[in-house]
Every structure is written in C-alpha cells, then in structure tokens.
Amino acid sequence: TQLLEQSPQFLSIQEGENLTVYCNSSSVFSSLQWYRQEPGEGPVLLVTVVTGGEVKKLKRLTFQFGDARKDSSLHITAAQPGDTGLYLCAGGPFGAGNMLTFGGGTRLMVKP
Amino acid sequence: DVKVTQSSRYLVKRTGEKVFLECVQDMDHENMFWYRQDPGLGLRLIYFSYDVKMKEKGDIPEGYSVSREKKERFSLILESASTNQTSMYLCASSWGGLATGELFFGEGSRLTVL
C-alpha cells in the first residue's frame, strides 16, 4: 500500500493569515487530488493535478504537484472562516484505476 | 447534481448485531466504494465495486461484506458488529475506467457499536 503523509495534522489560524498544507510520499503517483470535507458532509473534490510541476489556482487556493510526482502542497492566501474544514490529499497510483490512497488529513480552523 | 445518498446518518448498535449500510447514487456511475474514516487515518478503502455483482477487497475488508445487486445501490454489511468497527463510513461513486476519476461522496454514516 502506498502511503501519503499530510502535515500538519491540525492548524488553527486567524482570518487573513496564509498557510500551506503538505502531502508527501516516497511513491510516485499518476495524479494527486485534493478534497475538502466540512463538518457533517462528505469530502468534495477541489482539484486534480496530473503533471509533475503543475500549479493550479482556485481563487485563493494554490495547488502544486511536485516535479517528481511524489508530493503536493496546498497554499491558502488570506484564509477566511469559510475555509475551515478537513483537507485530504489522495494519490492515484499508476495502473490501478480508481484505487486512490488517501492521506491522514489536515484539520484547519480559521478564526474570525 | 450528482447525489450519493446514504440511508442512515447515525446508528447505534450492540456488539454482535448485524448491520446494513445502504448507499444509492443517481449518476449511473460504474464504480462504487465504501470507505472508513477515523481521525488521523484519513479514508481507508473497505471494498469497491466496478460493476453489478462485482466486488474487490480494499485495504481493510476483514469483518465486512458488500452487495451490489443493482448499478445504483451498494450495501455494506457488518455480519457481527464489534466495538472496533465504531467509525464514520463513507460511500462514494465515480465513472468507470478513469485513473484520476473524481469521487463523489455521500454525507456519511456514523456507526457506534456498544
């Protein structure tokens, strides 16, 4: 089983601050997905990155896939209380269809 | 909108009871999944199904079984519930054949086994 490690596990910040969440593995992935899960809901896909070195922006969120396709980061600029939630990365291994491997998650709280 | 519906949001069962968790999706997805979510462990795959009556074990299938008699419905069965199966259970679906396919999740079923 390929492992994905997320850091930090918990993050509590004030509104307006910037933050970065990391997702690391010793394995190479064909793609990397980021999901956000709000309390009482299932995870919802934010983005999929598929090319090594790829950077995608979604409003104040910037996602990067490492050149070696072993790691990814999520950077949030000027965090808002609405960003509060559990952020999960999920790696898609080569040749295994939809068998994603999920990281342990980063629980983010943004205080007003 | 894609909708994945899980039949029970909260269940409380006793050790040894049989538990059924039902999941229905309305997007004609080929793939359906059952995950277990525990704090700090992320999502762990229990079983998945890529077609009617087809199933494959995930990472933690012990103590669980599944049934997929119709394309839209995927059931998770705990034959004899144990306290270590207390957890949040998430059902998901996706289009078939895509290595980077987006998963669509239900809202989850929180099971407590006493």
Side-chain angles (χ1 to χ4, degrees), chain A:
Chain A
T1 302
Q2 296 173 297
L3 296 176
L4 274 172
E5 292 188 4
Q6 283 187 244
S7 61
Q9 276 192 293
F10 301 97
L11 195 52
S12 180
I13 60 173
Q14 293 294 133
E15 182 176 1
E17 292 184 18
N18 301 332
L19 67 115
T20 302
V21 175
Y22 299 93
C23 177
N24 295 299
S25 176
S26 58
S27 304
V28 178
F29 291 99
S30 64
S31 66
L32 207 296
Q33 300 178 9
W34 284 94
Y35 290 82
R36 179 169 66 206
Q37 184 178 19
E38 298 182 17
E41 304 290 331
V44 175
L45 181 69
L46 295 173
V47 77
T48 301
V49 284
V50 298
T51 305
E54 182 177 2
V55 177
K56 278 192 174 179
K57 291 192 175 183
L58 188 66
K59 296 184 181 178
R60 294 176 293 100
L61 279 61
T62 302
F63 303 85
Q64 185 162 7
F65 199 13
D67 291 340
R69 312 167 76 99
K70 292 183 178 181
D71 56 270
S72 181
S73 64
L74 158 59
H75 182 79
I76 301 179
T77 303
Q80 299 178 1
D83 296 326
T84 293
L86 179 68
Y87 289 81
L88 294 159
C89 64
F94 287 97
N98 282 290
M99 301 290 280
L100 294 173
T101 296
F102 279 85
T106 295
R107 189 164 296 281
L108 171 65
M109 177 174 289
V110 182
K111 301 175 185 176

Side-chain angles (χ1 to χ4, degrees), chain A residues 1 9 31 33 35 37 40-43 45 50 86 88 97-100 102-104, chain B residues 9 31 33 35 37 40 42-43 45 48 59 95 98-103 105-107:
Chain A
T1 302
Q9 276 192 293
S31 66
Q33 300 178 9
Y35 290 82
Q37 184 178 19
E41 304 290 331
L45 181 69
V50 298
L86 179 68
L88 294 159
N98 282 290
M99 301 290 280
L100 294 173
F102 279 85
Chain B
R9 293 295 300 272
N31 300 327
F33 307 80
Y35 285 92
Q37 183 175 31
L43 274 63
L45 182 64
F48 84 101
D59 297 321
W95 299 109
L98 297 176
T100 57
E102 175 182 3
L103 292 179
F105 286 90
E107 293 178 321

Side-chain angles (χ1 to χ4, degrees), chain B residues 4-46:
Chain B
V4 178
T5 304
Q6 295 184 228
S7 56
S8 304
R9 293 295 300 272
Y10 301 95
L11 302 95
V12 179
K13 298 291 182 180
R14 297 206 174 272
T15 301
E17 282 192 273
K18 192 169 186 177
V19 182
F20 291 90
L21 299 179
E22 300 279 328
C23 175
V24 177
Q25 52 95 4
D26 65 0
M27 276 300 289
D28 202 36
H29 284 166
E30 289 81 7
N31 300 327
M32 295 190 75
F33 307 80
W34 275 105
Y35 285 92
R36 172 175 171 161
Q37 183 175 31
D38 299 290
L41 297 179
L43 274 63
R44 293 180 291 168
L45 182 64
I46 304 172

Side-chain angles (χ1 to χ4, degrees), chain B:
Chain B
D1 282 350
V2 174
K3 193 162 180 66
V4 178
T5 304
Q6 295 184 228
S7 56
S8 304
R9 293 295 300 272
Y10 301 95
L11 302 95
V12 179
K13 298 291 182 180
R14 297 206 174 272
T15 301
E17 282 192 273
K18 192 169 186 177
V19 182
F20 291 90
L21 299 179
E22 300 279 328
C23 175
V24 177
Q25 52 95 4
D26 65 0
M27 276 300 289
D28 202 36
H29 284 166
E30 289 81 7
N31 300 327
M32 295 190 75
F33 307 80
W34 275 105
Y35 285 92
R36 172 175 171 161
Q37 183 175 31
D38 299 290
L41 297 179
L43 274 63
R44 293 180 291 168
L45 182 64
I46 304 172
Y47 269 97
F48 84 101
S49 169
Y50 53 91
D51 202 351
V52 175
K53 297 190 185 295
M54 306 303 290
K55 60 185 179 183
E56 294 287 341
K57 292 180 180 179
D59 297 321
I60 52 165
E62 296 78 18
Y64 304 95
S65 62
V66 290
S67 173
R68 194 168 181 198
E69 296 296 319
K70 293 184 177 182
K71 189 175 185 179
E72 68 271 18
R73 189 179 298 270
F74 193 35
S75 302
L76 180 69
I77 304 149
L78 288 67
E79 291 289 342
S80 178
S82 62
T83 55
N84 63 13
Q85 292 179 309
T86 291
S87 187
M88 171 69 85
Y89 291 88
L90 288 166
C91 175
S93 68
S94 74
W95 299 109
L98 297 176
T100 57
E102 175 182 3
L103 292 179
F104 295 86
F105 286 90
E107 293 178 321
S109 299
R110 185 166 293 283
L111 171 66
T112 301
V113 183
L114 302 176

